[in-house]
C-alpha cells in the first residue's frame, strides 16, 4: 500500500476533516515503490512478481523513480519499445467467485514511439472467460480487446488517471477517475481455464507508461463508491476532498524554510531564540523508509522554537495537532520535543512535554 508517511507532521484543523469513508479493508496492493519482480518479498500485498510473456528486448526500461508532483511518492516507470513482458498475479486457490475489481493509477508516455500506456488482462477461471483493457495513448482511446469494443477516454491518456475495472463474470465495466458513469462496458466470449491478472505488454507492441499504484479487490465487482474505501494516502484522480484540510509540515525542509517550500504549515517564525553553540538542526534521510526525510533537532545548551500563527479569521477555540516523532536515546537529552499552544479564543495556553528517559 502506497502510504504517505510524515516524519514530523504538526497539523492544525479548525473543523472536522472531511474525507473518504472508512470501510473494511480488502484491497491487495502494489504501491509502485519497488519493481514488480520484488513484490513477493516486500510489504506489497499484491504479488505481481511472476514474470510472463518474457521477451523484453534490448530497449526495455524498468525502474522506480521519484514522483515529480508528490513529495516522497514513488512511481514504476515501464518503457517497452521492442519486446514484451508482463507481471502476473495468481488468484488464490480459495477464490472461486467470478467477480472482482481492479483499479490502477497510471499515465502513458507522451513519446510518439509508444502506442499504448499499459495493458491490463484478467483470466477469470470461474467464469471461463478472459479479456484485456488496452489504454491507447495517442488516440486517447480505451479498448476491451476480447469484447472487441473501443471508446474515447474523455481526456489525455498521457495524463494521470485512475482506471477502475469492475468484472462480473463475462462482463467488464471501466470507469475513469471514479466517475460513476462508465466509459466502456462489454461482454467477452474468449475462453480460459487460468486464474490470474497480468499488467504490462504481452503483445510485443511499443508500450510505455508510468504506474503509481495497482490494487485488486476479490470481494466483488464494484462501481465507484461501492465496496471498500481506497487504501489510506493514495492519490485518486477525480476525488476532491472538501472542507478544511490539514496544514502540514512534512519534515523535508528546515522549519525556517517552510514559507518558501511545499509545507502548508508555516513554522518559519523563530522564537525563544538562544540556541547555544551545541545546537544541531538538519534534514536527514530516514534509515528505515526509503525516500523519506526527517528533521533532526538536538539542543543541549540553549533554546529555540518554531512558531505558527493562527490565521486572523480563526476565532474558534478547538483544533487538533498531530505529530510523528521520537526522542534521542543519548542521556544528555531530557525531552524529545515540547509542543505549546496559545489559545486566544479560550484565553488559555498549555504545553505537551515529551520526556525521553522517564517514558
Amino acid at each position: 500500500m502506497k502510504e504517505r508517511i510524515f516524519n514530523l507532521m504538526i497539523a492544525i484543523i479548525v473543523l472536522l476533516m472531511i474525507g473518504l469513508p472508512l470501510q473494511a479493508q480488502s484491497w491487495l496492493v502494489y504501491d509502485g515503490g519497488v519493481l514488480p519482480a520484488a513484490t513477493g518479498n516486500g510489504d506489497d500485498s499484491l504479488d505481481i512478481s511472476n514474470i510472463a510473456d518474457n521477451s523484453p528486448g534490448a530497449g526495455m526500461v524498468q525502474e522506480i523513480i521519484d514522483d515529480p508532483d508528490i513529495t516522497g511518492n514513488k512511481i514504476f516507470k515501464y518503457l517497452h519499445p521492442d519486446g514484451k513482458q508482463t507481471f502476473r498475479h495468481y488468484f488464490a486457490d480459495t477464490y472461486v467467485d467470478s467477480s472482482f475489481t481492479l483499479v490502477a493509477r497510471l499515465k502513458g508516455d507522451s513519446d510518439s514511439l509508444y502506442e499504448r500506456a499499459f495493458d491490463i488482462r484478467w483470466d477469470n477461471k470461474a467464469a471461463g472467460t478472459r479479456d484485456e483493457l488496452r489504454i491507447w495513448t495517442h488516440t486517447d482511446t480505451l479498448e476491451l480487446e476480447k469484447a472487441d469494443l473501443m471508446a474515447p477516454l474523455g481526456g489525455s491518456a498521457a495524463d494521470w488517471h485512475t482506471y477502475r475495472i469492475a468484472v462480473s463474470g463475462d462482463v467488464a465495466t471501466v470507469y475513469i477517475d471514479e466517475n460513476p458513469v462508465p466509459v466502456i462496458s462489454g461482454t467477452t466470449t474468449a475462453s480460459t481455464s487460468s486464474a490470474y491478472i497480468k499488467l504490462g505488454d504481452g503483445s510485443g507492441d511499443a508500450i510505455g507508461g508510468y504506474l503509481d499504484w495497482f490494487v485488486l479487490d476479490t470481494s466483488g465487482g464494484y462501481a465507484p463508491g461501492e465496496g471498500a474505501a481506497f487504501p489510506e494516502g493514495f492519490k485518486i484522480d477525480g476525488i476532491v476532498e472538501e472542507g478544511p484540510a490539514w496544514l502540514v509540515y512534512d519534515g523535508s525542509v528546515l522549519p525556517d524554510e517552510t514559507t518558501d517550500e511545499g509545507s502548508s504549515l508555516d513554522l518559519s517564525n523563530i522564537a525563544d531564540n538562544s540556541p547555544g553553540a551545541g545546537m544541531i538542526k538538519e534534514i536527514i534521510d530516514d534509515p528505515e523508509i526509503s525516500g523519506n526525510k526527517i528533521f533532526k533537532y538536538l539542543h543541549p545548551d540553549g533554546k529555540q522554537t518554531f512558531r505558527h500563527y493562527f490565521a486572523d479569521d480563526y476565532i474558534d477555540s478547538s483544533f487538533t495537532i498531530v505529530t510523528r516523532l521520537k526522542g534521542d536515546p543519548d542521556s544528555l537529552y531530557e525531552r524529545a520535543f515540547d509542543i505549546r499552544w496559545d489559545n486566544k479564543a479560550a484565553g488559555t495556553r498549555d504545553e505537551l512535554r515529551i520526556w525521553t528517559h522517564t517514558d
Side-chain angles (χ1 to χ4, degrees):
M1 179 180 81
K2 193 159 235 195
E3 212 177 3
R4 321 291 187 228
I5 301 176
F6 297 137
N7 310 292
L8 175 61
M9 185 184 79
I10 303 174
I12 300 175
I13 188 167
V14 176
L15 300 172
L16 293 177
M17 216 173 89
I18 300 175
L20 294 173
L22 296 177
Q23 303 179 32
Q25 186 56 260
S26 59
W27 295 104
L28 297 178
V29 174
Y30 169 62
D31 75 353
V34 298
L35 291 174
T39 52
N41 301 312
D43 293 333
D44 291 287
S45 54
L46 185 68
D47 181 357
I48 52 173
S49 62
N50 184 279
I51 305 298
D53 309 299
N54 196 23
S55 302
M60 180 175 180
V61 176
Q62 266 193 72
E63 59 184 358
I64 304 302
I65 63 173
D66 291 325
D67 187 334
D69 301 320
I70 303 173
T71 301
N73 194 31
K74 299 292 184 180
I75 298 169
F76 172 44
K77 179 180 179 179
Y78 175 84
L79 304 181
H80 216 167
D82 55 1
K84 58 181 180 177
Q85 187 178 83
T86 58
F87 314 103
R88 183 163 48 190
H89 171 85
Y90 284 95
F91 288 95
D93 292 340
T94 54
Y95 177 67
V96 295
D97 200 355
S98 64
S99 298
F100 49 88
T101 305
L102 295 162
V103 190
R105 181 173 187 260
L106 59 88
K107 69 173 184 176
D109 192 281
S110 57
D111 192 312
S112 59
L113 172 66
Y114 301 106
E115 298 174 347
R116 299 195 296 276
F118 278 94
D119 295 341
I120 303 172
R121 169 176 164 172
W122 52 96
D123 280 48
N124 192 348
K125 180 179 180 179
T129 53
R130 63 184 175 92
D131 209 338
E132 179 175 302
L133 176 67
R134 293 183 167 187
I135 302 166
W136 293 87
T137 308
H138 297 292
T139 59
D140 300 322
T141 304
L142 299 182
E143 178 187 8
L144 287 174
E145 194 254 343
K146 296 305 177 185
D148 196 23
L149 292 172
M150 300 189 76
L153 170 61
S156 172
D159 292 336
W160 286 108
H161 292 288
T162 300
Y163 296 83
R164 176 186 287 258
I165 308 166
V167 178
S168 295
D170 303 331
V171 179
T173 304
V174 182
Y175 305 85
I176 303 300
D177 296 336
E178 294 301 275
N179 187 327
V181 179
V183 173
I184 189 171
S185 183
T187 302
T188 178
T189 58
S191 63
T192 188
S193 59
S194 299
Y196 53 68
I197 59 174
K198 291 199 298 187
L199 173 73
D201 169 25
S203 66
D205 297 331
I207 288 182
Y210 303 82
L211 180 70
D212 186 7
W213 49 263
F214 184 44
V215 298
L216 166 67
D217 183 352
T218 57
S219 68
Y222 298 117
E226 300 177 348
F230 280 102
E232 183 180 351
F234 274 23
K235 168 66 177 176
I236 304 163
D237 302 283
I239 291 182
V240 178
E241 292 186 1
E242 300 177 352
W246 293 99
L247 298 178
V248 173
Y249 170 62
D250 71 358
S252 65
V253 298
L254 292 174
D256 321 38
E257 300 172 359
T258 49
T259 52
D260 299 321
E261 299 294 336
S263 298
S264 56
L265 187 69
D266 180 0
L267 295 169
S268 62
N269 186 282
I270 305 297
D272 309 302
N273 195 23
S274 302
M279 180 176 178
I280 296 175
K281 232 178 24 171
E282 60 184 359
I283 303 302
I284 63 172
D285 291 327
D286 188 333
E288 300 172 357
I289 304 172
S290 177
N292 199 26
K293 299 292 184 181
I294 299 172
F295 172 43
K296 180 179 179 180
Y297 174 84
L298 303 182
H299 216 166
D301 55 2
K303 59 181 180 176
Q304 187 178 84
T305 59
F306 314 103
R307 183 162 47 188
H308 172 86
Y309 284 97
F310 287 95
D312 292 338
D313 59 357
Y314 175 65
I315 56 174
D316 201 355
S317 62
S318 300
F319 49 87
T320 303
I321 299 171
V322 184
T323 178
R324 182 175 183 261
L325 58 85
K326 69 176 183 177
D328 192 281
D330 192 312
S331 60
L332 173 65
Y333 302 105
E334 298 173 343
R335 299 195 297 274
F337 279 91
D338 296 340
I339 303 171
R340 170 176 163 172
W341 52 94
D342 284 44
N343 193 346
K344 179 179 179 180
T348 55
R349 65 184 176 91
D350 210 337
E351 181 175 303
L352 174 67
R353 293 184 168 184
I354 303 169
W355 294 84
T356 308
H357 298 290
T358 58
D359 297 329

